[in-house]
Amino acid sequence: MGRDLSRKEFLSRTALLAAGAVLPRSAGATGSAAPGASQAKGSGVEADLIVVNARVFTSDSAQPRAEAFAVKDGRVLAVGRNADIRNVATARTRVFDAAGMTVTPGFIDAHCHPRGERVLFEVDGNLRSIAALKAAIAKKAAETPPGFWVNAYMFDDTKLSEGRPLHRRDLDEVAPNHPVSVNHRGGHTSWYNSAALRLAGVTRNTPDPEHGRFFRDADGEPNGRVAERARDVFASVGQRKRYTPDELRERARQGMRHMSRLLTASGLTTVHHMYAEQDDLTAYQDVRADGELRHRAYLMVGPNAYRQLRDAGVRTGMGDEWIRIGGTKRSADGSASERTMRMSTPYVGTDDYGILTMSQEEIHAEVDDAHSHGWQVGIHANGDVTIDMVLKAYERALARWPHPDRRHRIEHCSLVNSDLLRRIKATGTIPTPFWTYIYYHGEKWGEYGDDKMQHMFAHRSFLDTGIVVPGASDYGPGPFEPLMALQSMVTRRDFKGREWGANQKVTVDEALRIGTINGAHASYEEASKGSITAGKWADFVVLERDPHEVDPNTIKDIRIVQTTVGGKVVYPASGA
Ligand SMILES: [Zn+2]
């Protein structure tokens, strides 16, 4: 626009949505005429909020950048130049002067496990030395009756200052009379002490089960590290504190409230909550009823909730803009960060190809059932072998029951090749590669080696193949902070500065789209969020500095000034 428009001209020329007639654009609609535009003429419309003097990166290719935008009834009313947007303000309109700061759409994490009660109420194992972990376990054991489990979470085996692995003997020293588990933040491996191994009857003569492993010392004795489904033997031994249903519900409520604050403080406004079960669904509704739900959630439900919801006639998409039933989640192989994913070539210097946790037939059965009942499916598959198996199931289901826009997902989809990329594109499948891992888990990538790292967390390859790849943290395994994710994807450098798979770098603009509009697409919600576009929810983040202009190696340090969801400031929290 070459000149400032009058209020009336501006209202009639923009895709302005009047109060009471605000609807999201239907999927794929690109027209500028929006419902209610004609009603916007005259003085009936006033913005609740205007944001001016901002560098707005909209993630909307029709209008990628703007200076200002207006919000009404929780939705974006108009996007444009300062003078134009000031035209929809009245004396009652709240004005946020961004003073040159950057505004982006709220970030979307397409794969997250935000369960706060473990770190709130159990041992927070996110520590940097065996000594610190031992002290935390000793403290918890002192307040726990002998024979009862002591459980630590969020442990990271490669970040220990001692430079040696954790061993069951470390745990025996501080808790000889309690079964102890130390659970890796990745969720696929755990360490147990001798009391736990004894209770479970695990000895040097115990064979590895088909879908798991007992790691051993050179002399054959179990060293305490146990992977994948070999951990099942610990589930029914030892004593566990019993909680009443009310206590469990209260723990989950507190955990969710805690996580919702942390997520929005980092700039996230939507998370795809993976493996949600009944207690998660209840926690979301409880926290929302308390007025404490700050982020929107798309629930990729676990097998138990899935079967009940399916039998009740629910399918993907039911819910509203805050809590929506998404797809159903399964897991078919090991972990990237814990080096157990199933690959066609071994880990560097070993003959270890990783671990499958589902057979091809099991994958087919789950996919056929969910697909034929109208559900989106997301299967965890990290290695190329596993990704191929999951794609076979999607290809077969889509051939049997064609669907124009099913968007099944491959959760993580870490190691790809050109054949897998082609089939992902052809089936409309959505990969959700880790977006903070290059930076955060750098000390682990040597076990994959430089060649494999050129095909891992392959954001560049997905974009170049025309695949709408979203961002995904997999918190707890990965940190959820979206600015760390932008830095990780843009620089492909780890926290020590080492570069991994430089061919997979993306630009800052591409990273912003991955973290916003592409995340909305993964949940079929691109018509209502993911960009700063008239008619969409006013979910946005104010950044103190422009990620395009800072040293890319410092993007993660940009301060989050404010996070807004549906036009309401959720960070900094008022009255929290
Ligand atoms: Zn996960």
Side-chain angles (χ1 to χ4, degrees):
M1 280 172 273
R3 64 182 177 88
D4 292 349
L5 302 175
S6 72
R7 172 179 166 84
K8 191 170 176 182
E9 283 173 315
F10 179 66
L11 291 174
S12 62
R13 281 173 62 169
T14 54
L16 184 58
L17 306 183
V22 177
L23 295 168
R25 294 188 303 182
S26 60
T30 54
S32 59
S38 61
Q39 297 170 35
K41 291 173 187 167
S43 58
V45 174
E46 59 180 345
D48 300 328
L49 162 71
I50 60 170
V51 175
V52 295
N53 295 325
R55 296 180 178 202
V56 185
F57 295 93
T58 66
S59 290
D60 181 342
S61 52
Q63 186 180 10
R65 300 194 180 200
E67 293 173 345
F69 57 96
V71 174
K72 181 163 184 65
D73 295 332
R75 293 183 188 264
V76 177
L77 185 65
V79 184
R81 295 182 9 158
N82 287 323
D84 301 329
I85 295 301
R86 284 191 188 279
N87 263 327
V88 292
T90 70
R92 287 182 295 272
T93 301
R94 188 161 59 92
V95 178
F96 181 86
D97 185 336
M101 291 189 291
T102 294
V103 177
T104 69
F107 289 102
I108 296 173
D109 182 348
H111 187 124
C112 190
H113 302 264
R115 294 199 58 130
E117 61 267 42
R118 287 177 168 174
V119 287
L120 279 183
F121 303 116
E122 311 278 340
V123 177
D124 184 350
N126 190 12
L127 301 166
R128 292 295 170 264
S129 69
I130 292 172
L133 181 69
K134 284 166 72 173
I137 288 170
K139 181 166 178 286
K140 190 71 175 179
E143 52 194 52
T144 304
F148 281 76
W149 280 90
V150 171
N151 303 305
Y153 295 92
M154 297 295 286
F155 174 65
D156 193 335
D157 66 322
T158 59
K159 296 201 190 297
L160 301 172
S161 57
E162 284 88 351
R164 66 167 179 90
L166 181 67
H167 194 278
R168 67 180 154 77
R169 282 190 297 269
D170 295 309
L171 308 175
D172 295 347
E173 283 173 27
V174 290
N177 302 315
H178 300 77
V180 175
S181 76
V182 175
N183 300 286
H184 198 284
R185 67 181 297 159
H188 293 249
T189 55
S190 304
W191 281 252
Y192 298 89
N193 66 346
S194 298
L197 292 164
R198 211 162 39 238
L199 284 167
V202 176
T203 69
R204 59 181 300 131
N205 300 316
T206 307
D208 288 344
E210 187 184 350
H211 295 302
R213 190 177 304 160
F214 297 103
F215 289 83
R216 294 160 205 273
D217 289 332
D219 65 1
E221 285 292 330
N223 63 23
R225 184 181 183 219
V226 183
E228 307 293 348
R229 284 160 70 172
R231 297 176 300 171
D232 294 353
V233 296
F234 299 96
S236 55
V237 302
Q239 291 181 275
R240 286 166 214 275
K241 184 161 163 44
R242 298 238 179 270
Y243 297 97
T244 67
D246 281 349
E247 286 171 336
L248 286 172
R249 183 171 170 180
E250 182 55 27
R251 280 162 63 98
R253 179 209 299 260
Q254 289 186 31
M256 181 60 68
R257 185 172 61 205
H258 175 70
M259 289 309 306
S260 198
R261 286 187 183 162
L262 296 182
L263 295 168
T264 47
S266 79
L268 289 164
T269 55
T270 292
V271 305
H272 297 189
H273 185 122
M274 307 308 289
Y275 243 92
E277 290 288 5
Q278 289 93 329
D279 50 347
D280 300 300
L281 271 71
T282 303
Y284 271 107
Q285 294 168 81
D286 284 345
V287 174
R288 184 180 185 182
D290 294 341
E292 303 250 29
L293 184 61
R294 297 159 197 273
H295 69 279
R296 306 184 192 278
Y298 183 71
L299 305 176
M300 296 288 289
V301 301
N304 299 324
Y306 165 69
R307 296 202 163 90
Q308 294 185 18
L309 290 165
R310 175 201 64 192
D311 291 349
V314 173
R315 59 177 186 261
T316 294
M318 188 176 130
D320 66 10
E321 72 275 14
W322 284 99
I323 306 170
R324 191 179 299 283
I325 300 297
T328 183
K329 158 99 188 284
R330 298 291 182 278
S331 187
D333 77 346
S335 150
S337 65
E338 294 156 279
R339 292 88 67 206
T340 57
M341 66 192 227
R342 180 71 169 89
M343 307 182 295
S344 60
T345 53
Y347 289 90
V348 169
T350 74
D351 58 0
D352 178 4
Y353 290 75
I355 300 172
L356 283 173
T357 56
M358 288 173 83
S359 68
Q360 183 72 60
E361 282 318 303
E362 286 173 322
I363 295 171
H364 276 308
E366 296 286 353
V367 169
D368 287 358
D369 183 82
H371 179 89
S372 63
H373 283 90
W375 282 72
Q376 181 189 41
V377 182
I379 300 189
H380 161 128
N382 273 303
D384 52 348
V385 170
T386 328
I387 294 167
D388 169 68
M389 292 165 70
V390 173
L391 279 170
K392 279 188 180 121
Y394 291 164
E395 287 159 350
R396 194 180 89 170
L398 285 162
R400 285 188 181 174
W401 301 280
H403 189 292
D405 193 18
R406 187 59 283 175
R407 305 188 196 178
H408 287 317
R409 306 165 39 136
I410 298 180
E411 305 302 335
H412 314 321
C413 204
S414 293
L415 175 62
V416 294
N417 57 47
S418 56
D419 176 61
L420 297 176
L421 288 165
R422 180 185 56 73
R423 292 161 63 201
I424 289 166
K425 170 71 177 163
T427 49
T429 299
I430 295 170
T432 62
F434 300 106
W435 68 340
T436 52
Y437 267 32
I438 288 288
Y439 175 80
Y440 184 79
H441 282 309
E443 73 279 9
K444 301 170 174 84
W445 307 135
E447 294 184 45
Y448 294 88
D450 286 317
D451 284 352
K452 275 200 187 95
M453 292 307 294
Q454 292 181 23
H455 308 280
M456 283 179 66
F457 324 130
H459 293 94
R460 171 89 270 146
S461 298
F462 291 126
L463 291 179
D464 289 349
T465 312
I467 295 161
V468 188
V469 57
S473 73
D474 200 26
Y475 175 83
F480 53 69
E481 286 79 359
L483 293 182
M484 181 193 293
L486 298 195
Q487 175 174 326
S488 189
M489 292 187 293
V490 167
T491 66
R492 296 285 294 195
R493 285 183 188 278
D494 69 23
F495 63 96
K496 289 178 176 159
R498 162 112 202 237
E499 196 173 65
W500 297 99
N503 59 314
Q504 294 293 345
K505 284 180 188 173
V506 302
T507 68
V508 170
D509 280 327
E510 288 167 335
L512 284 169
R513 289 182 63 86
I514 287 169
T516 57
I517 188 68
N518 290 9
H521 176 265
S523 64
Y524 295 92
E525 292 174 296
E526 70 273 22
S528 62
K529 63 186 179 191
S531 67
I532 297 175
T533 301
K536 292 195 183 186
W537 293 113
D539 299 353
F540 61 90
V541 183
V542 181
L543 307 178
E544 189 170 43
R545 303 190 64 193
D546 183 346
H548 297 81
E549 295 202 341
V550 301
D551 173 350
N553 298 300
T554 65
I555 292 174
K556 72 173 178 55
D557 302 323
I558 296 173
R559 190 167 73 89
I560 307 287
V561 175
Q562 187 187 95
T563 305
T564 296
V565 177
K568 185 169 174 281
V569 176
V570 293
Y571 173 81
S574 58

